[in-house]
Each structure stands twice: as structure tokens, then as C-alpha cells.
Amino acid sequence: MYEQDFPHKRYQETLNFLEKHIAKDLNILDLGVENPLTELLKKKNYKVENTKGEDLDLDFSNVKNSSAEVVTAFEIFEHLIAPFNVLREIKADKLVASIPLSLWFSSAYRSKTDKWDRHYHEFEDWQFDWLLEKAGWKIIDSKKWTNPVNKIGIRPLLRKITPRYYIVYAQRIV
């Protein structure tokens, strides 16, 4: 049950936030490969193009060459060693980005089978805000939400009351 329900709340919160800030006629470059959230955005009539799976710590070519007016980054920056660098290379003047927040009762995520599916960073909200500001972005709006699980125990209880995800809408500072 948990695995089936997990993306739906996150996807719905993300979509609601995006709809609040981004018009559907704007071109979006989504950092990361095409995924189920990309498909949902396209079904909702957003014009979305994804990066191609390049290592965004080292290769900014798709970001630099994009003419998109908006860049989205949904749970991408925690996988990068130096997200500051790609944030500085974005040409668009609008950014919508979400991250998983650091949880004091749970260690950072690390897949045991996929060398790329791990979190180098799990930010606190103030750290992510500072990163964006230092990279030339002004946060206009933000939101946090929880990720409850249908299990019994102390950590599942803490997940019901502790925000896990953080999303921001930011504009480039000229």
C-alpha cells in the first residue's frame, strides 16, 4: 500500500504548487530524465522537456542551451554533490524546485542497488533557501508537506507530523 500511495501525495502537492505559479503556455526544462511526474505534467498540458540523464554536477550543456522560460527540479538537487553550479547556469528566470527535507530520526536515503539513487544532501529548509539565494535566486513562495506512511511505530508517527518535502518558487535576481 505504501509504495502505491507514496508518489500520489507528492505529485499532487507538486502539481498544485506548479499550477499556482506557472502558466501552462510557458516552456519548462525539467532537470532529470522523463519520469511519471513528467508524464502527469504533460497530461495537464504543460510543455515539458527533460534533461537527458547527464551528470548535472559536470555537464550543464542542456541547461545552458535551453530556451525554456521555467526550470523545474523535483527531487534532483539532493543527488548532486554541487547543486550550486547548475543553479548558476540556468538561463530561465523562473525556478520551481522541491527537495526531501533532512529528518532527524532517519538517515539520508541510499539505494543499495543503484549507485545514482542516493542522497548526497538532505537539506533543512534554511540551507536550501541559502543555496538558492547564493546562486542568484529570490524565493517568492514555498510550501512544506508530510509524507505519512501506513505503518505502526515511532518513525511512522513522526512522519505524520514532520514535514518531509519542501518546494519553492523562485525568480532569478538580475
Side-chain angles (χ1 to χ4, degrees):
M1 186 76 167
Y2 167 73
E3 290 178 10
Q4 290 176 344
D5 291 342
F6 171 73
H8 299 293
K9 180 177 182 182
R10 179 170 62 92
Y11 289 5
Q12 189 62 57
E13 293 285 353
T14 301
L15 180 60
N16 291 346
F17 193 83
L18 194 67
E19 287 177 335
K20 179 179 176 183
H21 296 289
I22 304 300
K24 292 185 178 180
D25 62 338
L26 297 177
N27 291 316
I28 297 173
L29 174 66
D30 184 35
L31 302 184
V33 296
E34 193 163 323
N35 58 69
L37 182 55
T38 308
E39 293 171 19
L40 176 64
L41 296 177
K42 287 179 179 179
K43 284 180 186 172
K44 296 291 183 175
N45 297 317
Y46 280 99
K47 295 187 268 180
V48 182
E49 178 184 343
N50 286 78
T51 53
K52 308 300 180 217
E54 64 273 22
D55 184 340
L56 293 171
D57 274 318
L58 302 170
D59 181 356
F60 312 123
S61 57
N62 283 321
V63 175
K64 285 179 165 182
N65 296 328
S66 174
S67 60
E69 296 119 316
V70 180
V71 167
T72 57
F74 304 123
E75 286 84 54
I76 292 297
F77 293 130
E78 68 274 12
H79 298 278
L80 301 180
I81 292 173
F84 175 84
N85 296 326
V86 73
L87 282 163
R88 293 287 297 168
E89 297 296 336
I90 294 171
K91 302 294 184 235
D93 62 354
K94 294 175 176 49
L95 172 70
V96 178
S98 61
I99 56 162
L101 292 167
S102 175
L103 299 175
W104 62 270
F105 56 86
S106 183
S107 58
Y109 174 75
R110 179 178 169 197
S111 171
K112 299 199 186 318
T113 58
D114 184 343
K115 73 176 187 170
W116 297 109
D117 189 18
R118 54 183 69 167
H119 294 177
Y120 187 80
H121 302 279
E122 285 191 355
F123 301 90
E124 292 185 32
D125 56 353
W126 69 268
Q127 292 171 309
F128 192 60
D129 292 352
W130 189 27
L131 170 66
L132 292 173
E133 290 166 13
K134 197 165 184 180
W137 296 93
K138 178 182 179 185
I139 296 170
I140 307 301
D141 191 17
S142 64
K143 182 179 182 180
K144 295 180 195 176
W145 66 89
T146 61
N147 181 40
V149 295
N150 293 323
K151 294 182 180 179
I152 297 173
I154 298 296
R155 287 206 294 184
L157 176 63
L158 290 171
R159 286 184 185 278
K160 288 184 184 210
I161 60 174
T162 307
R164 175 60 171 156
Y165 292 101
Y166 181 56
I167 193 167
V168 300
Y169 167 58
Q171 293 178 352
R172 172 69 69 196
I173 300 169
V174 181

